Amino acid sequence: MAKDTITLGGGCFWCLEAVYLIMEGVEHVESGYTGGTVANPSYEQVCTGRTGHAEVVQVTFNTDVTSLDEILAVFFTIHDPTSLNRQGADVGTQYRSAIFHHSEAQRNAAQETMDRITAEGIWAKPLVTELVPLGDYYKAEDYHQDYYANHPYQGYCRAVVEPKVAKFRKQFAHKLAAVSAA
């Protein structure tokens, strides 16, 4: 079994995590922070927007089941990659659209995906997604892990996370993990 890991920022990490946790071939999803200048930042520090970090998820997937192209297709569907430093009501650089690649192959695949999306005119506005190498990465606090699964009735989860999960279920029904398809 071949595995790969990529780090993605697309707004609040709870949204991305909830979707990738139910995607076929995804082995592990971890919420964290990267792209900033402060070592071991706390959630409270990142929320100020002054650390330079983005809220991200590290997605580890089985490449025999799910390709990087499929991971990226989901990424560019479940968040707005044309909105600079913002996803809905979440505003600040910590919510930026970003792909923190782990290899040159990932960078090339992401660039090709972004070029294709632009050429096909999928979004009316230009993409603002950063494509940068992964630097220092810090795991988010334990209470952020599996947040949606642990708090499905929390207000933010119902209003923001749940619609993204529903969109994934509808548009990528063929990629639902067997456990979550029931």
Side-chain angles (χ1 to χ4, degrees), residues 42-98:
S42 68
Y43 179 66
E44 291 74 20
Q45 289 174 307
V46 172
C47 283
T48 68
R50 294 191 299 261
T51 67
H53 290 285
E55 289 191 15
V56 298
V57 290
Q58 284 203 325
V59 180
T60 301
F61 55 101
N62 176 341
T63 59
D64 295 333
V65 177
T66 297
S67 69
L68 178 57
D69 288 342
E70 290 170 313
I71 296 289
L72 294 173
V74 169
F75 175 71
F76 282 110
T77 300
I78 61 172
H79 88 290
D80 179 357
T82 69
S83 184
L84 185 63
N85 301 328
R86 166 186 215 122
Q87 289 297 306
D90 294 330
V91 179
T93 57
Q94 67 272 30
Y95 303 114
R96 66 189 179 268
S97 176

Short mmCIF file of all heavy atoms in Angstrom, two decimals, residues 42-98:
data_model
loop_
_atom_site.label_atom_id
_atom_site.label_comp_id
_atom_site.label_asym_id
_atom_site.label_seq_id
_atom_site.Cartn_x
_atom_site.Cartn_y
_atom_site.Cartn_z
N SER A 42 -0.44 28.49 19.74
CA SER A 42 -1.72 28.02 20.28
C SER A 42 -2.83 28.46 19.33
O SER A 42 -2.65 29.36 18.51
CB SER A 42 -1.96 28.61 21.67
OG SER A 42 -2.17 30.02 21.56
N TYR A 43 -3.98 27.86 19.48
CA TYR A 43 -5.15 28.25 18.69
C TYR A 43 -5.46 29.74 18.91
O TYR A 43 -5.74 30.47 17.96
CB TYR A 43 -6.35 27.39 19.10
CG TYR A 43 -7.62 27.72 18.37
CD1 TYR A 43 -7.75 27.50 17.01
CD2 TYR A 43 -8.72 28.23 19.06
CE1 TYR A 43 -8.93 27.79 16.33
CE2 TYR A 43 -9.91 28.51 18.40
CZ TYR A 43 -10.00 28.29 17.04
OH TYR A 43 -11.18 28.57 16.38
N GLU A 44 -5.38 30.17 20.15
CA GLU A 44 -5.66 31.57 20.47
C GLU A 44 -4.69 32.50 19.74
O GLU A 44 -5.08 33.54 19.23
CB GLU A 44 -5.61 31.80 21.98
CG GLU A 44 -6.74 31.15 22.75
CD GLU A 44 -6.63 29.63 22.88
OE1 GLU A 44 -5.51 29.07 22.73
OE2 GLU A 44 -7.68 29.00 23.12
N GLN A 45 -3.41 32.12 19.67
CA GLN A 45 -2.42 32.93 18.95
C GLN A 45 -2.72 32.96 17.46
O GLN A 45 -2.66 34.01 16.83
CB GLN A 45 -1.00 32.40 19.20
CG GLN A 45 -0.47 32.63 20.58
CD GLN A 45 0.86 31.94 20.78
OE1 GLN A 45 0.99 30.74 20.53
NE2 GLN A 45 1.85 32.70 21.23
N VAL A 46 -3.02 31.81 16.89
CA VAL A 46 -3.30 31.73 15.45
C VAL A 46 -4.53 32.57 15.12
O VAL A 46 -4.56 33.27 14.09
CB VAL A 46 -3.46 30.27 14.99
CG1 VAL A 46 -3.94 30.19 13.55
CG2 VAL A 46 -2.14 29.51 15.15
N CYS A 47 -5.55 32.54 15.98
CA CYS A 47 -6.78 33.28 15.74
C CYS A 47 -6.56 34.79 15.67
O CYS A 47 -7.39 35.49 15.07
CB CYS A 47 -7.81 32.97 16.83
SG CYS A 47 -8.61 31.37 16.61
N THR A 48 -5.49 35.29 16.24
CA THR A 48 -5.24 36.73 16.16
C THR A 48 -4.83 37.15 14.76
O THR A 48 -4.90 38.33 14.42
CB THR A 48 -4.11 37.17 17.12
OG1 THR A 48 -2.86 36.63 16.66
CG2 THR A 48 -4.39 36.76 18.56
N GLY A 49 -4.34 36.19 13.96
CA GLY A 49 -3.86 36.51 12.62
C GLY A 49 -2.45 37.07 12.60
O GLY A 49 -1.93 37.42 11.55
N ARG A 50 -1.82 37.15 13.77
CA ARG A 50 -0.48 37.76 13.83
C ARG A 50 0.67 36.75 13.80
O ARG A 50 1.82 37.15 13.77
CB ARG A 50 -0.39 38.64 15.08
CG ARG A 50 -1.32 39.85 15.03
CD ARG A 50 -1.02 40.86 16.13
NE ARG A 50 -1.18 40.30 17.46
CZ ARG A 50 -2.25 40.45 18.24
NH1 ARG A 50 -3.28 41.13 17.81
NH2 ARG A 50 -2.29 39.92 19.44
N THR A 51 0.37 35.45 13.79
CA THR A 51 1.45 34.46 13.77
C THR A 51 1.87 34.11 12.35
O THR A 51 2.93 33.53 12.14
CB THR A 51 1.03 33.15 14.48
OG1 THR A 51 0.01 32.52 13.71
CG2 THR A 51 0.56 33.42 15.90
N GLY A 52 1.02 34.41 11.39
CA GLY A 52 1.28 34.05 10.00
C GLY A 52 0.85 32.64 9.64
O GLY A 52 0.91 32.24 8.48
N HIS A 53 0.40 31.88 10.63
CA HIS A 53 -0.01 30.50 10.39
C HIS A 53 -1.39 30.43 9.76
O HIS A 53 -2.24 31.30 9.96
CB HIS A 53 -0.05 29.70 11.70
CG HIS A 53 1.31 29.45 12.26
ND1 HIS A 53 2.17 28.52 11.73
CD2 HIS A 53 1.95 30.01 13.30
CE1 HIS A 53 3.29 28.53 12.42
NE2 HIS A 53 3.19 29.42 13.38
N ALA A 54 -1.60 29.36 8.99
CA ALA A 54 -2.92 29.02 8.47
C ALA A 54 -3.43 27.81 9.24
O ALA A 54 -2.65 26.96 9.66
CB ALA A 54 -2.83 28.68 6.98
N GLU A 55 -4.74 27.75 9.41
CA GLU A 55 -5.36 26.53 9.91
C GLU A 55 -5.33 25.54 8.75
O GLU A 55 -5.76 25.87 7.64
CB GLU A 55 -6.81 26.77 10.34
CG GLU A 55 -6.93 27.57 11.60
CD GLU A 55 -8.35 27.58 12.17
OE1 GLU A 55 -9.20 26.74 11.74
OE2 GLU A 55 -8.62 28.43 13.03
N VAL A 56 -4.79 24.36 8.98
CA VAL A 56 -4.62 23.37 7.91
C VAL A 56 -5.02 21.98 8.38
O VAL A 56 -5.18 21.74 9.58
CB VAL A 56 -3.16 23.33 7.41
CG1 VAL A 56 -2.73 24.65 6.81
CG2 VAL A 56 -2.20 22.90 8.53
N VAL A 57 -5.14 21.09 7.41
CA VAL A 57 -5.25 19.67 7.70
C VAL A 57 -4.15 18.95 6.95
O VAL A 57 -3.82 19.30 5.82
CB VAL A 57 -6.62 19.07 7.33
CG1 VAL A 57 -7.71 19.59 8.24
CG2 VAL A 57 -6.97 19.29 5.88
N GLN A 58 -3.57 17.96 7.61
CA GLN A 58 -2.65 17.06 6.93
C GLN A 58 -3.47 15.81 6.60
O GLN A 58 -4.03 15.17 7.49
CB GLN A 58 -1.45 16.71 7.80
CG GLN A 58 -0.45 17.83 7.86
CD GLN A 58 0.95 17.36 8.21
OE1 GLN A 58 1.15 16.44 8.99
NE2 GLN A 58 1.92 18.03 7.64
N VAL A 59 -3.54 15.51 5.31
CA VAL A 59 -4.34 14.40 4.82
C VAL A 59 -3.39 13.31 4.35
O VAL A 59 -2.60 13.52 3.42
CB VAL A 59 -5.25 14.85 3.66
CG1 VAL A 59 -6.08 13.68 3.15
CG2 VAL A 59 -6.13 16.02 4.07
N THR A 60 -3.45 12.15 4.99
CA THR A 60 -2.66 10.99 4.58
C THR A 60 -3.62 10.02 3.90
O THR A 60 -4.66 9.68 4.45
CB THR A 60 -1.99 10.32 5.80
OG1 THR A 60 -1.14 11.28 6.43
CG2 THR A 60 -1.17 9.11 5.38
N PHE A 61 -3.24 9.62 2.68
CA PHE A 61 -4.16 8.80 1.89
C PHE A 61 -3.42 7.66 1.20
O PHE A 61 -2.22 7.73 0.96
CB PHE A 61 -4.90 9.67 0.87
CG PHE A 61 -4.01 10.48 -0.05
CD1 PHE A 61 -3.77 10.06 -1.35
CD2 PHE A 61 -3.43 11.65 0.38
CE1 PHE A 61 -2.95 10.79 -2.20
CE2 PHE A 61 -2.60 12.40 -0.46
CZ PHE A 61 -2.36 11.97 -1.75
N ASN A 62 -4.19 6.62 0.92
CA ASN A 62 -3.70 5.44 0.22
C ASN A 62 -3.78 5.74 -1.27
O ASN A 62 -4.89 5.82 -1.82
CB ASN A 62 -4.56 4.24 0.61
CG ASN A 62 -4.20 2.98 -0.13
OD1 ASN A 62 -3.55 3.00 -1.17
ND2 ASN A 62 -4.64 1.85 0.40
N THR A 63 -2.65 5.88 -1.93
CA THR A 63 -2.64 6.25 -3.35
C THR A 63 -3.13 5.14 -4.27
O THR A 63 -3.39 5.39 -5.44
CB THR A 63 -1.22 6.70 -3.79
OG1 THR A 63 -0.31 5.62 -3.57
CG2 THR A 63 -0.78 7.93 -3.00
N ASP A 64 -3.28 3.92 -3.73
CA ASP A 64 -3.86 2.84 -4.52
C ASP A 64 -5.38 2.97 -4.60
O ASP A 64 -6.02 2.35 -5.45
CB ASP A 64 -3.51 1.47 -3.91
CG ASP A 64 -2.02 1.17 -3.97
OD1 ASP A 64 -1.34 1.71 -4.87
OD2 ASP A 64 -1.55 0.42 -3.10
N VAL A 65 -5.96 3.78 -3.70
CA VAL A 65 -7.41 3.94 -3.63
C VAL A 65 -7.85 5.34 -4.06
O VAL A 65 -8.86 5.50 -4.74
CB VAL A 65 -7.90 3.66 -2.18
CG1 VAL A 65 -9.40 3.88 -2.05
CG2 VAL A 65 -7.52 2.25 -1.75
N THR A 66 -7.12 6.33 -3.63
CA THR A 66 -7.45 7.74 -3.90
C THR A 66 -6.21 8.47 -4.39
O THR A 66 -5.15 8.40 -3.75
CB THR A 66 -7.99 8.41 -2.63
OG1 THR A 66 -9.21 7.76 -2.26
CG2 THR A 66 -8.27 9.88 -2.84
N SER A 67 -6.35 9.16 -5.48
CA SER A 67 -5.21 9.90 -6.05
C SER A 67 -5.12 11.31 -5.48
O SER A 67 -6.10 11.85 -4.95
CB SER A 67 -5.36 9.98 -7.57
OG SER A 67 -6.44 10.84 -7.91
N LEU A 68 -3.96 11.90 -5.63
CA LEU A 68 -3.77 13.30 -5.24
C LEU A 68 -4.73 14.18 -6.04
O LEU A 68 -5.29 15.13 -5.50
CB LEU A 68 -2.32 13.74 -5.44
CG LEU A 68 -2.02 15.20 -5.12
CD1 LEU A 68 -2.40 15.55 -3.69
CD2 LEU A 68 -0.56 15.52 -5.38
N ASP A 69 -4.94 13.86 -7.31
CA ASP A 69 -5.89 14.64 -8.12
C ASP A 69 -7.28 14.63 -7.50
O ASP A 69 -7.98 15.65 -7.50
CB ASP A 69 -5.94 14.11 -9.55
CG ASP A 69 -4.68 14.42 -10.34
OD1 ASP A 69 -3.91 15.32 -9.93
OD2 ASP A 69 -4.45 13.75 -11.37
N GLU A 70 -7.70 13.49 -6.95
CA GLU A 70 -9.02 13.42 -6.31
C GLU A 70 -9.04 14.22 -5.01
O GLU A 70 -10.04 14.90 -4.72
CB GLU A 70 -9.40 11.96 -6.06
CG GLU A 70 -9.69 11.20 -7.35
CD GLU A 70 -9.84 9.71 -7.14
OE1 GLU A 70 -8.99 9.10 -6.45
OE2 GLU A 70 -10.82 9.16 -7.67
N ILE A 71 -7.96 14.14 -4.24
CA ILE A 71 -7.86 14.93 -3.01
C ILE A 71 -7.99 16.41 -3.35
O ILE A 71 -8.72 17.17 -2.69
CB ILE A 71 -6.52 14.66 -2.28
CG1 ILE A 71 -6.43 13.20 -1.80
CG2 ILE A 71 -6.28 15.66 -1.15
CD1 ILE A 71 -7.33 12.83 -0.64
N LEU A 72 -7.30 16.84 -4.41
CA LEU A 72 -7.34 18.25 -4.82
C LEU A 72 -8.69 18.64 -5.40
O LEU A 72 -9.16 19.77 -5.19
CB LEU A 72 -6.21 18.54 -5.81
CG LEU A 72 -4.80 18.43 -5.23
CD1 LEU A 72 -3.76 18.57 -6.33
CD2 LEU A 72 -4.57 19.47 -4.13
N ALA A 73 -9.34 17.74 -6.12
CA ALA A 73 -10.68 18.04 -6.66
C ALA A 73 -11.65 18.34 -5.52
O ALA A 73 -12.44 19.29 -5.60
CB ALA A 73 -11.18 16.87 -7.51
N VAL A 74 -11.59 17.55 -4.48
CA VAL A 74 -12.43 17.80 -3.30
C VAL A 74 -12.07 19.14 -2.68
O VAL A 74 -12.94 19.96 -2.37
CB VAL A 74 -12.31 16.64 -2.29
CG1 VAL A 74 -12.97 16.99 -0.96
CG2 VAL A 74 -12.90 15.36 -2.88
N PHE A 75 -10.78 19.39 -2.50
CA PHE A 75 -10.31 20.64 -1.90
C PHE A 75 -10.87 21.85 -2.63
O PHE A 75 -11.38 22.79 -2.01
CB PHE A 75 -8.77 20.65 -1.92
CG PHE A 75 -8.14 21.93 -1.46
CD1 PHE A 75 -8.18 22.29 -0.12
CD2 PHE A 75 -7.48 22.75 -2.35
CE1 PHE A 75 -7.57 23.47 0.31
CE2 PHE A 75 -6.87 23.92 -1.92
CZ PHE A 75 -6.92 24.28 -0.59
N PHE A 76 -10.79 21.84 -3.96
CA PHE A 76 -11.23 23.00 -4.74
C PHE A 76 -12.74 23.07 -4.88
O PHE A 76 -13.26 24.05 -5.41
CB PHE A 76 -10.55 23.02 -6.11
CG PHE A 76 -9.13 23.53 -6.04
CD1 PHE A 76 -8.07 22.66 -6.24
CD2 PHE A 76 -8.86 24.85 -5.76
CE1 PHE A 76 -6.75 23.12 -6.16
CE2 PHE A 76 -7.55 25.32 -5.68
CZ PHE A 76 -6.50 24.46 -5.88
N THR A 77 -13.46 22.07 -4.38
CA THR A 77 -14.92 22.08 -4.41
C THR A 77 -15.51 22.54 -3.08
O THR A 77 -16.53 23.22 -3.06
CB THR A 77 -15.46 20.68 -4.76
OG1 THR A 77 -14.95 20.31 -6.05
CG2 THR A 77 -16.97 20.64 -4.78
N ILE A 78 -14.88 22.16 -1.97
CA ILE A 78 -15.51 22.40 -0.67
C ILE A 78 -15.11 23.72 -0.02
O ILE A 78 -15.59 24.02 1.07
CB ILE A 78 -15.28 21.23 0.31
CG1 ILE A 78 -13.80 21.02 0.57
CG2 ILE A 78 -15.95 19.97 -0.20
CD1 ILE A 78 -13.51 20.02 1.67
N HIS A 79 -14.25 24.50 -0.66
CA HIS A 79 -13.97 25.85 -0.15
C HIS A 79 -13.88 26.79 -1.34
O HIS A 79 -13.83 26.35 -2.49
CB HIS A 79 -12.71 25.86 0.71
CG HIS A 79 -11.43 26.07 -0.03
ND1 HIS A 79 -10.89 25.12 -0.88
CD2 HIS A 79 -10.59 27.13 -0.07
CE1 HIS A 79 -9.76 25.60 -1.40
NE2 HIS A 79 -9.56 26.82 -0.92
N ASP A 80 -13.87 28.08 -1.07
CA ASP A 80 -13.80 29.08 -2.12
C ASP A 80 -12.35 29.50 -2.31
O ASP A 80 -11.82 30.28 -1.53
CB ASP A 80 -14.66 30.29 -1.77
CG ASP A 80 -14.61 31.39 -2.82
OD1 ASP A 80 -13.86 31.26 -3.81
OD2 ASP A 80 -15.32 32.40 -2.64
N PRO A 81 -11.69 29.00 -3.37
CA PRO A 81 -10.28 29.31 -3.59
C PRO A 81 -10.06 30.68 -4.24
O PRO A 81 -8.95 31.01 -4.60
CB PRO A 81 -9.83 28.17 -4.51
CG PRO A 81 -11.05 27.86 -5.31
CD PRO A 81 -12.20 28.04 -4.37
N THR A 82 -11.13 31.46 -4.37
CA THR A 82 -11.01 32.80 -4.98
C THR A 82 -11.15 33.90 -3.93
O THR A 82 -11.05 35.07 -4.25
CB THR A 82 -12.09 33.02 -6.06
OG1 THR A 82 -13.37 33.10 -5.45
CG2 THR A 82 -12.05 31.91 -7.10
N SER A 83 -11.38 33.52 -2.70
CA SER A 83 -11.61 34.48 -1.62
C SER A 83 -10.33 34.64 -0.81
O SER A 83 -9.91 33.72 -0.12
CB SER A 83 -12.76 33.96 -0.75
OG SER A 83 -13.08 34.88 0.24
N LEU A 84 -9.73 35.81 -0.89
CA LEU A 84 -8.44 36.06 -0.23
C LEU A 84 -8.62 36.20 1.29
O LEU A 84 -9.36 37.07 1.75
CB LEU A 84 -7.79 37.32 -0.80
CG LEU A 84 -6.39 37.64 -0.30
CD1 LEU A 84 -5.40 36.53 -0.69
CD2 LEU A 84 -5.92 38.98 -0.86
N ASN A 85 -7.94 35.33 2.01
CA ASN A 85 -7.92 35.40 3.48
C ASN A 85 -9.31 35.41 4.10
O ASN A 85 -9.56 36.10 5.08
CB ASN A 85 -7.11 36.62 3.94
CG ASN A 85 -5.69 36.59 3.45
OD1 ASN A 85 -5.10 35.52 3.30
ND2 ASN A 85 -5.14 37.75 3.18
N ARG A 86 -10.17 34.58 3.53
CA ARG A 86 -11.53 34.55 4.03
C ARG A 86 -12.25 33.29 3.53
O ARG A 86 -12.09 32.90 2.40
CB ARG A 86 -12.28 35.78 3.54
CG ARG A 86 -13.75 35.70 3.72
CD ARG A 86 -14.49 36.87 3.10
NE ARG A 86 -15.61 37.11 3.99
CZ ARG A 86 -15.87 38.23 4.60
NH1 ARG A 86 -15.15 39.28 4.38
NH2 ARG A 86 -16.88 38.32 5.42
N GLN A 87 -13.05 32.72 4.41
CA GLN A 87 -14.00 31.68 4.03
C GLN A 87 -15.28 31.99 4.79
O GLN A 87 -15.32 31.84 6.01
CB GLN A 87 -13.48 30.28 4.37
CG GLN A 87 -12.33 29.81 3.52
CD GLN A 87 -12.71 29.67 2.05
OE1 GLN A 87 -13.65 28.98 1.69
NE2 GLN A 87 -11.96 30.33 1.18
N GLY A 88 -16.27 32.49 4.08
CA GLY A 88 -17.52 32.89 4.72
C GLY A 88 -17.27 33.99 5.74
O GLY A 88 -16.63 34.99 5.43
N ALA A 89 -17.74 33.77 6.95
CA ALA A 89 -17.58 34.77 8.01
C ALA A 89 -16.21 34.70 8.68
O ALA A 89 -15.86 35.57 9.47
CB ALA A 89 -18.68 34.59 9.06
N ASP A 90 -15.42 33.65 8.36
CA ASP A 90 -14.08 33.52 8.94
C ASP A 90 -13.12 34.37 8.12
O ASP A 90 -12.87 34.08 6.95
CB ASP A 90 -13.62 32.05 8.92
CG ASP A 90 -14.44 31.17 9.83
OD1 ASP A 90 -14.95 31.67 10.85
OD2 ASP A 90 -14.58 29.97 9.53
N VAL A 91 -12.58 35.42 8.75
CA VAL A 91 -11.74 36.38 8.03
C VAL A 91 -10.37 36.47 8.69
O VAL A 91 -10.26 36.54 9.92
CB VAL A 91 -12.40 37.78 8.02
CG1 VAL A 91 -11.52 38.79 7.30
CG2 VAL A 91 -13.77 37.72 7.38
N GLY A 92 -9.32 36.46 7.88
CA GLY A 92 -7.95 36.60 8.36
C GLY A 92 -7.03 35.67 7.60
O GLY A 92 -7.48 34.71 6.98
N THR A 93 -5.75 35.95 7.66
CA THR A 93 -4.77 35.14 6.94
C THR A 93 -4.77 33.69 7.41
O THR A 93 -4.37 32.80 6.65
CB THR A 93 -3.35 35.73 7.06
OG1 THR A 93 -3.03 35.82 8.46
CG2 THR A 93 -3.26 37.09 6.41
N GLN A 94 -5.22 33.44 8.62
CA GLN A 94 -5.26 32.07 9.14
C GLN A 94 -6.29 31.22 8.39
O GLN A 94 -6.27 30.00 8.47
CB GLN A 94 -5.51 32.04 10.64
CG GLN A 94 -6.86 32.54 11.10
CD GLN A 94 -6.91 34.04 11.35
OE1 GLN A 94 -6.21 34.84 10.74
NE2 GLN A 94 -7.78 34.44 12.27
N TYR A 95 -7.17 31.86 7.62
CA TYR A 95 -8.20 31.15 6.86
C TYR A 95 -7.92 31.15 5.36
O TYR A 95 -8.81 30.89 4.56
CB TYR A 95 -9.58 31.76 7.14
CG TYR A 95 -9.93 31.75 8.61
CD1 TYR A 95 -10.06 32.93 9.31
CD2 TYR A 95 -10.09 30.55 9.29
CE1 TYR A 95 -10.37 32.93 10.66
CE2 TYR A 95 -10.38 30.53 10.64
CZ TYR A 95 -10.52 31.73 11.33
OH TYR A 95 -10.82 31.71 12.66
N ARG A 96 -6.68 31.42 4.99
CA ARG A 96 -6.35 31.51 3.57
C ARG A 96 -6.42 30.16 2.87
O ARG A 96 -6.31 29.12 3.49
CB ARG A 96 -4.97 32.13 3.38
CG ARG A 96 -3.79 31.29 3.90
CD ARG A 96 -2.51 32.14 3.83
NE ARG A 96 -1.33 31.50 4.32
CZ ARG A 96 -0.89 31.58 5.58
NH1 ARG A 96 -1.59 32.24 6.50
NH2 ARG A 96 0.25 31.00 5.92
N SER A 97 -6.59 30.25 1.56
CA SER A 97 -6.58 29.06 0.71
C SER A 97 -5.12 28.77 0.38
O SER A 97 -4.42 29.62 -0.19
CB SER A 97 -7.37 29.32 -0.57
OG SER A 97 -7.29 28.22 -1.44
N ALA A 98 -4.65 27.57 0.74
CA ALA A 98 -3.24 27.26 0.53
C ALA A 98 -3.00 25.76 0.41
O ALA A 98 -3.68 24.96 1.05
CB ALA A 98 -2.39 27.80 1.69
#
